[in-house]
């Protein structure tokens, strides 16, 4: 396993910033965690995306899963995730907070020339990862991720959590995208989660899970979209007699309370 050095450039990572990695049976997992982007890279990202980026953008962070024998690779990063945010304005949450957000945005990333255009200011993304060009595609399937295998008490050889972006929605909630990955001797599981809480309006979760079986070369990707009205969730939390404000920041606890609004399964077997 290799470890990152002290990063000094947040726009063009050097070889010393390659991150941490582990290889198993022809598979390699790599994670990279670098500081929040500075003004120059943020301006470049704004131009490339065509939208204003979140308050906290970790544009050099990434999680990658690679299968050397087939050339297949799936990567998760902030830029491609934000490129999936609706830019037409059609998916914008039609609430009073949107005007407050735009006013607040004028004070963020000072010194950067930007124009706030209509787009989904909650930064909701249905990002499922970026497949390397030429990789065998994942195809629709009905086969679920084998949870019984993941519940086994197998040793965890590698674990990491990587933040991609975060925004406080003009102090009216939170929107964040992060990834977690754990590698066991015979398999791995990645979770990339978008979590949004817009106070007094809505809770939203978008989960992408990627399961890999090292022995068979099987990859299963599951996408789950969940959401529920803020007041409905708050009432459910109130009957638990737990710390409701803390629970409203806990996406793991909230995930069980939000109904599924969209789901897909895809699969590929690599050799």
């Amino acid at each position: 396993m290799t470890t990152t050095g002290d990063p000094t450039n947040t726009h063009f990572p050097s070889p010393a910033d390659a991150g941490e990695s582990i290889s198993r049976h022809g598979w390699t997992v790599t994670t990279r965690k670098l500081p929040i982007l500075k003004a120059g890279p943020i301006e470049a990202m704004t131009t490339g995306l065509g939208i204003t980026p979140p308050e906290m953008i970790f544009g050099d962070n990434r999680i990658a899963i690679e299968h050397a024998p087939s050339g297949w690779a799936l990567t998760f990063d902030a830029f491609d995730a934000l490129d999936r945010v609706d830019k037409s304005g059609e998916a914008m949450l039609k609430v009073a907070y949107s005007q407050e957000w735009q006013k607040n945005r004028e004070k963020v990333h000072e010194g950067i020339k930007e124009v706030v255009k209509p787009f989904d200011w909650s930064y909701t993304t249905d990002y499922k990862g970026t497949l390397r060009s030429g990789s065998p595609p994942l195809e629709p399937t009905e086969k679920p991720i084998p949870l019984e295998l993941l519940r086994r008490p197998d040793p965890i050889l590698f674990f990491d959590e990587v933040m991609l972006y975060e925004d406080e929605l003009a102090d009216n909630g939170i929107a964040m995208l992060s990834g977690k990955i754990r590698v066991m001797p015979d398999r791995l599981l990645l979770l990339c989660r978008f979590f949004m809480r817009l106070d007094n309006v809505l809770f939203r979760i978008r989960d992408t899970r990627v399961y890999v079986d090292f022995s068979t070369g099987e990859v299963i990707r599951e996408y789950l979209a969940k959401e529920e009205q803020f007041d409905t969730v708050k009432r459910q939390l109130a009957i638990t007699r737990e710390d409701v404000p803390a629970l409203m920041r806990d996406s793991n606890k909230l995930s069980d309370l939000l109904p599924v609004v969209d789901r897909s399964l895809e699969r590929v077997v690599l050799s």
Side-chain angles (χ1 to χ4, degrees):
M1 189 181 299
T2 59
T3 306
T4 59
D6 180 24
T8 57
N9 190 315
T10 62
H11 186 38
F12 298 106
S14 70
D17 298 323
E20 298 188 357
S21 65
I22 184 173
S23 296
R24 298 283 298 176
H25 310 292
W27 293 85
T28 299
V29 169
T30 304
T31 60
R32 184 172 68 202
K33 295 188 286 189
L34 294 178
I36 191 170
L37 288 186
K38 297 178 182 178
I42 291 175
E43 186 168 358
M45 179 173 281
T46 302
T47 301
L49 289 171
I51 63 174
T52 307
E55 292 168 325
M56 298 179 65
I57 177 74
F58 297 86
D60 294 325
N61 288 4
R62 68 195 294 265
I63 302 177
I65 303 172
E66 301 176 76
H67 183 248
S70 67
W72 187 93
L74 187 67
T75 303
F76 291 80
D77 65 65
F79 184 93
D80 287 349
L82 288 167
D83 205 29
R84 297 288 305 172
V85 171
D86 174 65
K87 301 174 186 178
S88 67
E90 294 179 2
M92 287 179 65
L93 293 170
K94 307 297 184 181
V95 295
Y97 293 127
S98 60
Q99 289 186 347
E100 183 176 349
W101 180 91
Q102 291 202 15
K103 291 179 182 178
N104 177 272
R105 217 10 146 238
E106 295 173 2
K107 301 177 182 178
V108 177
H109 308 319
E110 290 184 3
I112 298 174
K113 297 177 182 178
E114 57 182 350
V115 178
V116 177
K117 299 177 181 178
F119 70 96
D120 181 6
W121 57 279
S122 74
Y123 295 107
T124 298
T125 180
D126 61 355
Y127 186 51
K128 302 174 186 176
T130 304
L131 197 62
R132 176 190 288 168
S133 178
S135 293
L138 291 105
E139 303 289 351
T141 184
E142 295 298 322
K143 185 175 183 179
I145 291 174
L147 297 179
E148 68 281 359
L149 295 179
L150 293 169
R151 293 191 183 105
R152 292 181 178 180
D154 295 331
I156 297 177
L157 307 179
F158 179 93
F159 174 84
D160 209 352
E161 182 171 5
V162 178
M163 177 63 67
L164 296 178
Y165 64 77
E166 183 175 341
D167 195 284
E168 294 185 349
L169 305 179
D171 294 326
N172 289 297
I174 190 170
M176 60 187 296
L177 182 71
S178 62
K180 295 180 181 180
I181 190 164
R182 59 184 169 109
V183 180
M184 289 74 73
D186 300 316
R187 56 192 60 87
L188 70 79
L189 181 69
L190 176 147
L191 169 62
C192 184
R193 168 169 288 176
F194 171 82
F195 169 61
M196 186 204 77
R197 184 194 79 243
L198 183 57
D199 295 337
N200 302 312
V201 180
L202 191 70
F203 284 95
R204 177 177 285 167
I205 287 176
R206 302 287 186 264
D207 282 345
T208 296
R209 289 179 173 84
V210 179
Y211 168 84
V212 175
D213 188 303
F214 299 140
S215 61
T216 64
E218 181 180 47
V219 181
I220 299 176
R221 180 168 65 183
E222 177 190 61
Y223 172 75
L224 277 178
K226 300 179 177 183
E227 61 184 61
E228 184 58 279
Q229 297 298 312
F230 184 92
D231 288 343
T232 301
V233 175
K234 189 175 181 179
R235 285 194 298 269
Q236 290 178 286
L237 293 176
I239 64 175
T240 65
R241 297 186 178 182
E242 296 185 51
D243 185 347
V244 173
L247 290 176
M248 289 197 293
R249 296 189 295 269
D250 189 336
S251 65
N252 291 322
K253 295 286 183 65
L254 291 167
S255 180
D256 295 332
L257 302 178
L258 308 187
V260 176
V261 296
D262 190 21
R263 181 173 187 256
S264 67
L265 282 165
E266 298 168 287
R267 176 177 179 265
V268 66
V269 178
L270 304 169
S271 58

